Amino acid sequence: MTRDEITAGLAEILEEVAGVNPDDVVEGKSFTDDLDVDSLSMVEVVVAAEEKFGVKIPDDEVQNLRTVGDAVSYIEKAG
Amino acid sequence: MTVDVVVTGLGATTPLGGDVASTWESLVAGRSGVGPLTQDWAAQLPVRIAAQLAVEPSEKLDRVKLRRLDRVEAIALIAAYEAWRDAGFGEPAGDNRPDPERLAVSIGTGIGGALTLLNQDDILEASGPRRVSPHTIPMLMPNGPAAWVGLDLDAKAGVRMVASACATGAEAISLGLDTIRAGRADVVVAGGTEAVIHPLPIAGFASMRAMSTRNDEPERASRPFDKARDGFVFGEGAGMVVLERAEHAAARGARVYARLAGAGLTSDGYDIVQPDPQGRGAARAIAAALRDSGVARSDVVHVNAHATSTPVGDIAEIVSLHAALGDHAVITATKSMTGHLLGAAGALESIATILAIVHGVVPPTINLDDPDDGVDLDVAAHKARHMDIPAALNNSFGFGGHNVALVFTRP
């Protein structure tokens, strides 16, 4: 799966869970500061991403996923 | 000196309409909000009728917001926003609003976020703990509706939650009255909310033999005071009022619907669910409300009764009215149309009581074809009654032996 495909998949999840405009979901954006995703919604995003991409994202890792790009890299590596 | 408290805003979403205006129009016209339960799960139940919301919350709130709200919270917000705007307040973040530190919330629910509890339990069983929503707890906690309204309206003088089963809505309004009288707030958004139409609560009430099983005639099932009544009809909805210190309302030139003149609260000390057949606790609540209000009995010419359409409760209420008020008032039971909204009932019926005063109209008690023995008061059967109403009483009683009576008057 390419980075663009993973980004598009995350955009779908973020739109569903938190109402984020898919056009705003680009690698440099921070989940909390730029996309307004709060901590409870982030939990939903992580669980949905695990299901969609068939990966495990341990709770310890979640705090390191500050930006969309961080998440894409993690999923790319773990996938 | 007592502080005068007035009602300056009304909001509701009910089985009769998505707002106060449509609900009131249906009440006066005598329309029933009861219909068949067509969901698959209903087929196995002894009770297959209910009074479901006329307008779904998804028509008023956006999808993402709704993801983190239980239905009981969503409808509380919808009704509270309507009451807020109706009181003449603007956007909560703007200037045309009460001082946040003088704004309180008093909202209750009889059962709370049970739909979330039950749905998330299904997810837990089917898919395991990791799939349980992180919003589960704030969605099911019973203070959730009050907390959400407080958060959205920026109320910082306290957010209170009341639970007294079917007396909840009225008790929440009485707590709002106390809050303003005690000087703790100038404005209180107060009311009740309930949304638990699901097989488990229905099965529970049905097992108590408390519900009507008139499945073939939904619109005729809720028939308070009628000889053929066989239990209450389950409903869902929310009702909210904006209570305000009279001087605060006058200073901003607010439109005043009515004065909340007094409240009376008692407990039966009789049984956990059965009403005292002699209605003694209810009579004491009515007497206490009259004393608290300072209103003469003779001025209280209308009563919105609790009357849920159960065999024992309706008669006990008649007995209590004879004892505490007399026999001059015109009684109505709007549950004949709305069904029983449990924790929201007392709030919705307060709104009906207030609008009866404002418009000089008592909504009818539909389905009252053959008044039961002992129903010897003047009940507005079938048709709305036009009359001058200087003051009116709203009764609410709840499982647990809670009795709440509220007295409203013209401003």
Side-chain angles (χ1 to χ4, degrees):
Chain A
M1 200 176 260
T2 68
R3 291 184 72 88
D4 281 353
E5 286 166 345
I6 297 171
T7 304
L10 283 172
E12 272 177 38
I13 293 170
L14 285 159
E15 185 185 26
E16 168 69 21
V17 168
V20 175
N21 182 342
D23 294 342
D24 293 342
V25 181
V26 293
E27 292 209 9
K29 291 283 176 72
S30 152
F31 288 110
T32 47
D33 298 343
D34 299 322
L35 303 180
D36 252 352
V37 179
D38 68 16
S39 61
L40 295 188
S41 292
M42 195 62 200
V43 174
E44 287 189 282
V45 170
V46 166
V47 172
E50 286 184 336
E51 191 165 353
K52 193 177 196 92
F53 300 112
V55 297
K56 278 266 169 267
I57 309 176
D59 287 351
D60 294 352
E61 268 312 317
V62 174
Q63 58 192 353
N64 301 326
L65 307 181
R66 208 180 54 80
T67 65
V68 173
D70 294 341
V72 172
S73 296
Y74 186 87
I75 292 163
E76 194 179 29
K77 190 154 53 81
Chain B
M1 209 190 99
T2 330
V3 176
D4 255 359
V5 176
V6 294
V7 180
T8 55
L10 306 174
T13 182
T14 76
L16 298 176
D19 56 17
V20 170
S22 54
T23 298
W24 175 250
E25 191 196 335
S26 291
L27 283 173
V28 173
R31 281 197 281 273
S32 171
V34 181
L37 283 169
T38 52
Q39 296 88 332
D40 290 342
W41 51 254
Q44 56 162 344
L45 294 170
V47 173
R48 295 182 297 280
I49 51 174
Q52 297 176 273
L53 286 175
V55 176
E56 278 298 304
S58 56
E59 292 184 34
K60 304 255 181 149
L61 292 175
D62 83 67
R63 182 188 63 81
V64 174
K65 177 114 184 160
L66 278 172
R67 279 178 63 87
R68 45 179 62 201
L69 297 172
D70 185 272
R71 188 172 175 88
V72 76
E73 297 172 331
I75 61 176
L77 274 176
I78 289 165
Y81 273 122
E82 185 191 358
W84 175 265
R85 286 189 295 266
D86 189 48
F89 298 130
E91 287 303 309
D95 293 330
N96 175 22
R97 55 155 300 139
D99 175 0
E101 295 189 11
R102 300 293 299 162
L103 172 66
V105 167
S106 172
I107 291 173
T109 171
I111 295 182
L115 293 181
T116 294
L117 180 70
L118 292 159
N119 292 338
Q120 292 298 319
D121 186 56
D122 289 345
I123 290 171
L124 175 67
E125 296 295 329
S127 310
R130 206 168 158 78
R131 292 297 154 84
V132 171
S133 167
H135 303 297
T136 300
I137 302 303
M139 286 169 75
L140 68 80
M141 62 190 193
N143 58 315
W148 269 111
V149 170
L151 188 65
D152 274 25
L153 299 180
D154 198 19
K156 291 180 172 159
V159 166
R160 311 280 296 276
M161 184 275 172
V162 166
S164 48
C166 306
T168 296
E171 183 163 346
I173 289 172
S174 85
L175 178 62
L177 174 69
D178 292 347
T179 301
I180 295 174
R181 282 177 171 175
R184 296 193 181 102
D186 293 323
V187 180
V188 181
V189 177
T193 181
E194 204 76 79
V196 283
I197 293 182
H198 177 284
L200 184 75
I202 293 176
F205 282 119
S207 290
M208 298 172 82
R209 309 293 188 266
M211 297 177 108
S212 171
T213 54
R214 198 180 285 264
N215 295 313
D216 301 336
E217 300 179 291
E219 297 188 352
R220 296 176 53 76
S222 186
R223 41 196 317 120
F225 303 126
D226 187 79
K227 204 168 262 175
R229 70 192 183 282
D230 69 332
F232 77 87
V233 174
F234 206 26
E236 60 175 352
M240 299 290 158
V241 299
V242 172
L243 302 176
E244 193 163 351
R245 189 163 57 81
E247 288 166 7
H248 188 275
R252 67 183 185 92
R255 179 248 345 255
V256 173
Y257 284 105
R259 196 164 69 93
L260 173 52
L265 286 79
T266 64
S267 39
D268 276 349
Y270 178 81
D271 186 88
I272 192 69
V273 293
Q274 292 296 331
D276 173 359
Q278 295 180 52
R280 288 170 294 200
R284 285 188 294 114
I286 295 164
L290 289 168
R291 270 199 310 280
D292 185 44
S293 71
V295 174
R297 279 187 187 204
S298 56
D299 280 348
V300 179
V301 297
H302 165 50
V303 179
N304 190 305
H306 184 64
T308 63
S309 185
T310 59
V312 180
D314 291 8
I315 296 296
E317 185 169 10
I318 293 285
V319 173
S320 72
L321 285 167
H322 269 294
L325 184 66
D327 57 6
H328 62 281
V330 176
I331 318 294
T332 197
T334 42
K335 286 189 184 77
S336 59
M337 296 169 280
T338 64
H340 190 354
L341 272 53
L342 308 188
L348 175 57
E349 287 149 26
S350 285
I351 291 169
T353 308
I354 292 161
L355 290 175
I357 293 171
V358 170
H359 297 296
V361 181
V362 173
T365 301
I366 66 168
N367 299 325
L368 179 49
D369 299 332
D370 184 12
D372 198 2
D373 301 336
V375 179
D376 53 357
L377 292 173
D378 183 3
V379 182
H382 300 303
K383 277 195 161 17
R385 194 86 64 86
H386 292 261
M387 57 187 277
D388 186 50
I389 306 174
L393 175 75
N394 174 29
N395 283 342
S396 297
F397 314 129
F399 279 177
H402 309 270
N403 306 297
V404 182
L406 302 174
V407 174
F408 296 93
T409 73
R410 277 200 290 250

Short mmCIF file of all heavy atoms in Angstrom, two decimals, chain A residues 25-78:
data_model
loop_
_atom_site.label_atom_id
_atom_site.label_comp_id
_atom_site.label_asym_id
_atom_site.label_seq_id
_atom_site.Cartn_x
_atom_site.Cartn_y
_atom_site.Cartn_z
N VAL A 25 -6.63 16.37 5.27
CA VAL A 25 -5.81 15.28 5.79
C VAL A 25 -4.57 15.11 4.91
O VAL A 25 -4.58 14.41 3.91
CB VAL A 25 -6.62 13.97 5.88
CG1 VAL A 25 -5.75 12.85 6.45
CG2 VAL A 25 -7.85 14.18 6.76
N VAL A 26 -3.49 15.84 5.27
CA VAL A 26 -2.21 15.74 4.56
C VAL A 26 -1.12 15.48 5.60
O VAL A 26 -1.31 15.73 6.79
CB VAL A 26 -1.90 17.02 3.74
CG1 VAL A 26 -2.89 17.17 2.59
CG2 VAL A 26 -1.92 18.25 4.62
N GLU A 27 0.02 14.98 5.12
CA GLU A 27 1.01 14.41 6.04
C GLU A 27 1.51 15.36 7.13
O GLU A 27 1.80 14.94 8.22
CB GLU A 27 2.19 13.84 5.23
CG GLU A 27 1.76 12.62 4.42
CD GLU A 27 2.91 11.64 4.20
OE1 GLU A 27 3.98 11.84 4.82
OE2 GLU A 27 2.72 10.70 3.42
N GLY A 28 1.59 16.63 6.84
CA GLY A 28 2.17 17.54 7.83
C GLY A 28 1.22 17.95 8.95
O GLY A 28 1.64 18.52 9.95
N LYS A 29 -0.07 17.62 8.81
CA LYS A 29 -1.07 18.13 9.77
C LYS A 29 -1.05 17.35 11.09
O LYS A 29 -0.99 16.12 11.10
CB LYS A 29 -2.48 18.05 9.17
CG LYS A 29 -2.72 19.02 8.01
CD LYS A 29 -2.95 20.44 8.52
CE LYS A 29 -3.09 21.46 7.40
NZ LYS A 29 -4.35 21.37 6.66
N SER A 30 -1.14 18.09 12.20
CA SER A 30 -1.24 17.47 13.53
C SER A 30 -2.70 17.11 13.81
O SER A 30 -3.61 17.90 13.53
CB SER A 30 -0.75 18.47 14.57
OG SER A 30 -1.38 18.24 15.82
N PHE A 31 -2.88 15.91 14.37
CA PHE A 31 -4.26 15.47 14.66
C PHE A 31 -4.96 16.44 15.63
O PHE A 31 -6.10 16.82 15.41
CB PHE A 31 -4.25 14.06 15.27
CG PHE A 31 -3.90 12.98 14.29
CD1 PHE A 31 -2.68 12.31 14.38
CD2 PHE A 31 -4.78 12.64 13.27
CE1 PHE A 31 -2.35 11.32 13.48
CE2 PHE A 31 -4.45 11.64 12.36
CZ PHE A 31 -3.22 10.97 12.46
N THR A 32 -4.27 16.78 16.72
CA THR A 32 -4.94 17.61 17.72
C THR A 32 -4.93 19.09 17.35
O THR A 32 -5.96 19.75 17.44
CB THR A 32 -4.28 17.43 19.11
OG1 THR A 32 -2.87 17.53 18.96
CG2 THR A 32 -4.65 16.11 19.72
N ASP A 33 -3.77 19.61 16.93
CA ASP A 33 -3.67 21.06 16.74
C ASP A 33 -4.32 21.52 15.44
O ASP A 33 -4.94 22.58 15.40
CB ASP A 33 -2.19 21.49 16.74
CG ASP A 33 -1.53 21.18 18.08
OD1 ASP A 33 -2.28 20.94 19.05
OD2 ASP A 33 -0.29 21.14 18.13
N ASP A 34 -4.17 20.74 14.37
CA ASP A 34 -4.69 21.19 13.07
C ASP A 34 -6.06 20.61 12.73
O ASP A 34 -6.88 21.27 12.11
CB ASP A 34 -3.71 20.80 11.95
CG ASP A 34 -2.33 21.44 12.15
OD1 ASP A 34 -2.29 22.60 12.59
OD2 ASP A 34 -1.32 20.77 11.87
N LEU A 35 -6.29 19.36 13.11
CA LEU A 35 -7.52 18.68 12.69
C LEU A 35 -8.56 18.61 13.80
O LEU A 35 -9.66 18.08 13.59
CB LEU A 35 -7.20 17.27 12.16
CG LEU A 35 -6.19 17.22 11.00
CD1 LEU A 35 -5.95 15.77 10.57
CD2 LEU A 35 -6.66 18.04 9.79
N ASP A 36 -8.22 19.13 15.00
CA ASP A 36 -9.21 19.18 16.09
C ASP A 36 -9.72 17.82 16.53
O ASP A 36 -10.89 17.68 16.91
CB ASP A 36 -10.43 20.02 15.65
CG ASP A 36 -10.45 21.36 16.38
OD1 ASP A 36 -9.62 21.53 17.28
OD2 ASP A 36 -11.31 22.19 16.04
N VAL A 37 -8.88 16.82 16.47
CA VAL A 37 -9.30 15.48 16.90
C VAL A 37 -8.98 15.36 18.39
O VAL A 37 -7.81 15.44 18.77
CB VAL A 37 -8.56 14.39 16.10
CG1 VAL A 37 -8.98 13.00 16.57
CG2 VAL A 37 -8.83 14.55 14.61
N ASP A 38 -10.00 15.19 19.23
CA ASP A 38 -9.71 15.12 20.67
C ASP A 38 -9.30 13.70 21.06
O ASP A 38 -9.28 12.78 20.24
CB ASP A 38 -10.90 15.64 21.49
CG ASP A 38 -12.13 14.75 21.41
OD1 ASP A 38 -12.02 13.59 20.96
OD2 ASP A 38 -13.21 15.24 21.78
N SER A 39 -8.95 13.53 22.33
CA SER A 39 -8.32 12.26 22.74
C SER A 39 -9.28 11.07 22.58
O SER A 39 -8.85 9.99 22.18
CB SER A 39 -7.83 12.36 24.18
OG SER A 39 -8.92 12.60 25.05
N LEU A 40 -10.58 11.28 22.86
CA LEU A 40 -11.51 10.15 22.71
C LEU A 40 -11.70 9.79 21.24
O LEU A 40 -11.75 8.62 20.88
CB LEU A 40 -12.86 10.47 23.37
CG LEU A 40 -12.86 10.66 24.89
CD1 LEU A 40 -14.28 10.77 25.41
CD2 LEU A 40 -12.14 9.53 25.60
N SER A 41 -11.77 10.81 20.40
CA SER A 41 -11.92 10.51 18.97
C SER A 41 -10.66 9.84 18.43
O SER A 41 -10.73 8.99 17.53
CB SER A 41 -12.20 11.79 18.18
OG SER A 41 -13.47 12.30 18.51
N MET A 42 -9.49 10.22 18.98
CA MET A 42 -8.24 9.60 18.53
C MET A 42 -8.26 8.10 18.82
O MET A 42 -7.77 7.31 18.01
CB MET A 42 -7.06 10.28 19.24
CG MET A 42 -5.72 10.01 18.61
SD MET A 42 -5.58 10.61 16.90
CE MET A 42 -4.19 9.62 16.33
N VAL A 43 -8.86 7.71 19.95
CA VAL A 43 -8.97 6.29 20.26
C VAL A 43 -9.81 5.60 19.18
O VAL A 43 -9.47 4.51 18.70
CB VAL A 43 -9.62 6.08 21.65
CG1 VAL A 43 -9.87 4.59 21.90
CG2 VAL A 43 -8.75 6.68 22.75
N GLU A 44 -10.88 6.26 18.77
CA GLU A 44 -11.73 5.67 17.72
C GLU A 44 -10.97 5.55 16.40
O GLU A 44 -11.11 4.57 15.68
CB GLU A 44 -12.97 6.54 17.49
CG GLU A 44 -14.00 6.47 18.59
CD GLU A 44 -15.28 7.18 18.15
OE1 GLU A 44 -15.31 8.43 18.21
OE2 GLU A 44 -16.23 6.50 17.75
N VAL A 45 -10.18 6.58 16.09
CA VAL A 45 -9.41 6.58 14.85
C VAL A 45 -8.42 5.41 14.85
O VAL A 45 -8.29 4.67 13.86
CB VAL A 45 -8.65 7.93 14.67
CG1 VAL A 45 -7.66 7.84 13.51
CG2 VAL A 45 -9.65 9.06 14.45
N VAL A 46 -7.76 5.21 15.98
CA VAL A 46 -6.75 4.14 16.07
C VAL A 46 -7.40 2.77 15.88
O VAL A 46 -6.92 1.94 15.11
CB VAL A 46 -6.02 4.23 17.44
CG1 VAL A 46 -5.22 2.96 17.70
CG2 VAL A 46 -5.10 5.45 17.46
N VAL A 47 -8.52 2.56 16.57
CA VAL A 47 -9.19 1.25 16.47
C VAL A 47 -9.67 1.02 15.03
O VAL A 47 -9.52 -0.07 14.47
CB VAL A 47 -10.36 1.16 17.48
CG1 VAL A 47 -11.17 -0.12 17.24
CG2 VAL A 47 -9.82 1.19 18.90
N ALA A 48 -10.21 2.08 14.41
CA ALA A 48 -10.68 1.95 13.03
C ALA A 48 -9.51 1.71 12.08
O ALA A 48 -9.63 0.92 11.12
CB ALA A 48 -11.46 3.20 12.63
N ALA A 49 -8.37 2.34 12.35
CA ALA A 49 -7.19 2.16 11.49
C ALA A 49 -6.64 0.75 11.61
O ALA A 49 -6.23 0.14 10.61
CB ALA A 49 -6.12 3.20 11.84
N GLU A 50 -6.64 0.23 12.82
CA GLU A 50 -6.18 -1.16 13.01
C GLU A 50 -6.99 -2.11 12.15
O GLU A 50 -6.45 -3.01 11.51
CB GLU A 50 -6.32 -1.57 14.48
CG GLU A 50 -5.27 -0.95 15.39
CD GLU A 50 -5.38 -1.46 16.82
OE1 GLU A 50 -6.47 -1.90 17.23
OE2 GLU A 50 -4.36 -1.42 17.53
N GLU A 51 -8.29 -1.87 12.14
CA GLU A 51 -9.18 -2.75 11.39
C GLU A 51 -8.98 -2.59 9.89
O GLU A 51 -8.84 -3.54 9.15
CB GLU A 51 -10.63 -2.43 11.77
CG GLU A 51 -11.62 -3.44 11.25
CD GLU A 51 -12.98 -3.30 11.96
OE1 GLU A 51 -13.08 -2.52 12.93
OE2 GLU A 51 -13.92 -3.96 11.52
N LYS A 52 -8.89 -1.32 9.46
CA LYS A 52 -8.81 -1.04 8.02
C LYS A 52 -7.50 -1.53 7.42
O LYS A 52 -7.48 -2.05 6.31
CB LYS A 52 -8.95 0.47 7.82
CG LYS A 52 -9.19 0.88 6.37
CD LYS A 52 -9.38 2.39 6.26
CE LYS A 52 -10.01 2.75 4.94
NZ LYS A 52 -11.45 2.83 4.97
N PHE A 53 -6.39 -1.33 8.17
CA PHE A 53 -5.07 -1.63 7.58
C PHE A 53 -4.50 -2.95 8.09
O PHE A 53 -3.38 -3.32 7.73
CB PHE A 53 -4.10 -0.48 7.88
CG PHE A 53 -4.57 0.85 7.33
CD1 PHE A 53 -4.96 1.88 8.18
CD2 PHE A 53 -4.63 1.07 5.95
CE1 PHE A 53 -5.40 3.10 7.68
CE2 PHE A 53 -5.07 2.29 5.45
CZ PHE A 53 -5.46 3.31 6.30
N GLY A 54 -5.23 -3.64 8.96
CA GLY A 54 -4.76 -4.93 9.46
C GLY A 54 -3.47 -4.83 10.25
O GLY A 54 -2.57 -5.66 10.09
N VAL A 55 -3.33 -3.79 11.06
CA VAL A 55 -2.10 -3.61 11.86
C VAL A 55 -2.49 -3.51 13.34
O VAL A 55 -3.66 -3.35 13.67
CB VAL A 55 -1.34 -2.32 11.46
CG1 VAL A 55 -0.89 -2.43 10.01
CG2 VAL A 55 -2.22 -1.08 11.66
N LYS A 56 -1.49 -3.64 14.20
CA LYS A 56 -1.69 -3.39 15.63
C LYS A 56 -1.01 -2.07 15.98
O LYS A 56 0.13 -1.85 15.63
CB LYS A 56 -1.04 -4.52 16.46
CG LYS A 56 -1.91 -5.75 16.56
CD LYS A 56 -2.75 -5.70 17.85
CE LYS A 56 -3.83 -6.78 17.89
NZ LYS A 56 -5.13 -6.30 17.36
N ILE A 57 -1.75 -1.20 16.65
CA ILE A 57 -1.16 0.07 17.09
C ILE A 57 -1.27 0.10 18.62
O ILE A 57 -2.31 0.47 19.16
CB ILE A 57 -1.86 1.29 16.47
CG1 ILE A 57 -1.97 1.14 14.94
CG2 ILE A 57 -1.12 2.58 16.83
CD1 ILE A 57 -2.74 2.26 14.24
N PRO A 58 -0.20 -0.30 19.33
CA PRO A 58 -0.28 -0.35 20.80
C PRO A 58 -0.49 1.05 21.37
O PRO A 58 -0.06 2.05 20.77
CB PRO A 58 1.09 -0.91 21.22
CG PRO A 58 1.76 -1.38 19.97
CD PRO A 58 1.13 -0.67 18.82
N ASP A 59 -1.11 1.11 22.55
CA ASP A 59 -1.38 2.40 23.19
C ASP A 59 -0.10 3.22 23.36
O ASP A 59 -0.11 4.44 23.23
CB ASP A 59 -2.06 2.19 24.56
CG ASP A 59 -3.50 1.73 24.39
OD1 ASP A 59 -3.99 1.76 23.24
OD2 ASP A 59 -4.12 1.35 25.39
N ASP A 60 1.03 2.54 23.65
CA ASP A 60 2.30 3.26 23.84
C ASP A 60 2.71 4.01 22.58
O ASP A 60 3.38 5.03 22.64
CB ASP A 60 3.44 2.26 24.17
CG ASP A 60 3.22 1.60 25.51
OD1 ASP A 60 2.28 2.03 26.22
OD2 ASP A 60 3.96 0.66 25.84
N GLU A 61 2.35 3.46 21.44
CA GLU A 61 2.73 4.06 20.16
C GLU A 61 1.89 5.30 19.85
O GLU A 61 2.35 6.22 19.17
CB GLU A 61 2.52 3.07 19.02
CG GLU A 61 3.70 2.20 18.65
CD GLU A 61 5.01 2.96 18.49
OE1 GLU A 61 5.01 4.06 17.88
OE2 GLU A 61 6.04 2.45 18.97
N VAL A 62 0.64 5.30 20.33
CA VAL A 62 -0.31 6.32 19.88
C VAL A 62 0.20 7.72 20.17
O VAL A 62 0.05 8.64 19.37
CB VAL A 62 -1.71 6.08 20.52
CG1 VAL A 62 -2.67 7.21 20.19
CG2 VAL A 62 -2.28 4.75 20.04
N GLN A 63 0.86 7.87 21.32
CA GLN A 63 1.35 9.21 21.68
C GLN A 63 2.42 9.72 20.72
O GLN A 63 2.67 10.92 20.63
CB GLN A 63 1.87 9.21 23.11
CG GLN A 63 2.99 8.21 23.33
CD GLN A 63 3.30 8.04 24.81
OE1 GLN A 63 2.78 8.74 25.66
NE2 GLN A 63 4.17 7.07 25.11
N ASN A 64 3.08 8.78 20.01
CA ASN A 64 4.09 9.21 19.04
C ASN A 64 3.50 9.61 17.70
O ASN A 64 4.19 10.14 16.83
CB ASN A 64 5.12 8.09 18.81
CG ASN A 64 5.82 7.69 20.11
OD1 ASN A 64 6.05 8.57 20.96
ND2 ASN A 64 6.12 6.42 20.28
N LEU A 65 2.24 9.31 17.52
CA LEU A 65 1.58 9.60 16.23
C LEU A 65 0.97 11.00 16.29
O LEU A 65 -0.23 11.16 16.43
CB LEU A 65 0.52 8.55 15.92
CG LEU A 65 0.97 7.09 15.99
CD1 LEU A 65 -0.17 6.14 15.63
CD2 LEU A 65 2.16 6.83 15.06
N ARG A 66 1.83 12.02 16.16
CA ARG A 66 1.37 13.38 16.32
C ARG A 66 0.73 13.91 15.04
O ARG A 66 -0.29 14.58 15.06
CB ARG A 66 2.56 14.27 16.73
CG ARG A 66 2.18 15.50 17.56
CD ARG A 66 3.43 16.31 17.90
NE ARG A 66 4.20 16.68 16.71
CZ ARG A 66 3.92 17.69 15.90
NH1 ARG A 66 2.87 18.45 16.13
NH2 ARG A 66 4.67 17.95 14.85
N THR A 67 1.33 13.56 13.93
CA THR A 67 0.82 14.06 12.65
C THR A 67 0.29 12.91 11.79
O THR A 67 0.54 11.73 12.06
CB THR A 67 1.94 14.75 11.84
OG1 THR A 67 2.93 13.76 11.50
CG2 THR A 67 2.60 15.87 12.63
N VAL A 68 -0.42 13.28 10.76
CA VAL A 68 -0.91 12.30 9.79
C VAL A 68 0.27 11.53 9.21
O VAL A 68 0.22 10.30 9.07
CB VAL A 68 -1.71 13.01 8.66
CG1 VAL A 68 -2.09 12.02 7.56
CG2 VAL A 68 -2.94 13.71 9.24
N GLY A 69 1.37 12.24 8.93
CA GLY A 69 2.56 11.59 8.38
C GLY A 69 3.12 10.54 9.33
O GLY A 69 3.54 9.45 8.89
N ASP A 70 3.13 10.84 10.65
CA ASP A 70 3.60 9.86 11.64
C ASP A 70 2.77 8.58 11.54
O ASP A 70 3.31 7.47 11.58
CB ASP A 70 3.44 10.41 13.08
CG ASP A 70 4.35 11.61 13.34
OD1 ASP A 70 5.33 11.80 12.59
OD2 ASP A 70 4.06 12.36 14.31
N ALA A 71 1.45 8.76 11.43
CA ALA A 71 0.56 7.58 11.38
C ALA A 71 0.78 6.79 10.09
O ALA A 71 0.82 5.56 10.12
CB ALA A 71 -0.90 8.04 11.49
N VAL A 72 0.96 7.53 9.00
CA VAL A 72 1.18 6.85 7.71
C VAL A 72 2.46 6.04 7.78
O VAL A 72 2.49 4.85 7.38
CB VAL A 72 1.24 7.88 6.55
CG1 VAL A 72 1.67 7.19 5.25
CG2 VAL A 72 -0.12 8.55 6.37
N SER A 73 3.51 6.61 8.35
CA SER A 73 4.80 5.90 8.44
C SER A 73 4.66 4.65 9.30
O SER A 73 5.18 3.58 8.95
CB SER A 73 5.87 6.81 9.05
OG SER A 73 6.10 7.92 8.19
N TYR A 74 3.94 4.80 10.43
CA TYR A 74 3.79 3.65 11.32
C TYR A 74 3.05 2.51 10.63
O TYR A 74 3.45 1.36 10.67
CB TYR A 74 3.06 4.04 12.63
CG TYR A 74 3.03 2.91 13.60
CD1 TYR A 74 4.08 2.69 14.50
CD2 TYR A 74 1.99 1.97 13.56
CE1 TYR A 74 4.07 1.60 15.34
CE2 TYR A 74 1.98 0.88 14.40
CZ TYR A 74 3.02 0.68 15.30
OH TYR A 74 3.02 -0.40 16.11
N ILE A 75 1.96 2.88 9.96
CA ILE A 75 1.13 1.85 9.30
C ILE A 75 1.91 1.22 8.14
O ILE A 75 1.86 0.00 7.93
CB ILE A 75 -0.19 2.48 8.81
CG1 ILE A 75 -1.06 2.87 10.02
CG2 ILE A 75 -0.95 1.54 7.88
CD1 ILE A 75 -2.19 3.84 9.71
N GLU A 76 2.69 2.02 7.43
CA GLU A 76 3.48 1.52 6.30
C GLU A 76 4.48 0.47 6.79
O GLU A 76 4.63 -0.59 6.19
CB GLU A 76 4.23 2.70 5.67
CG GLU A 76 4.81 2.42 4.31
CD GLU A 76 5.53 3.65 3.74
OE1 GLU A 76 6.05 4.46 4.54
OE2 GLU A 76 5.54 3.79 2.51
N LYS A 77 5.12 0.79 7.94
CA LYS A 77 6.14 -0.07 8.51
C LYS A 77 5.52 -1.35 9.09
O LYS A 77 6.05 -2.44 8.94
CB LYS A 77 6.89 0.72 9.61
CG LYS A 77 8.14 0.08 10.16
CD LYS A 77 9.10 1.14 10.71
CE LYS A 77 8.46 2.08 11.71
NZ LYS A 77 8.34 1.59 13.07
N ALA A 78 4.37 -1.18 9.77
CA ALA A 78 3.76 -2.31 10.49
C ALA A 78 3.00 -3.23 9.55
O ALA A 78 2.75 -4.39 9.87
CB ALA A 78 2.83 -1.79 11.59
#
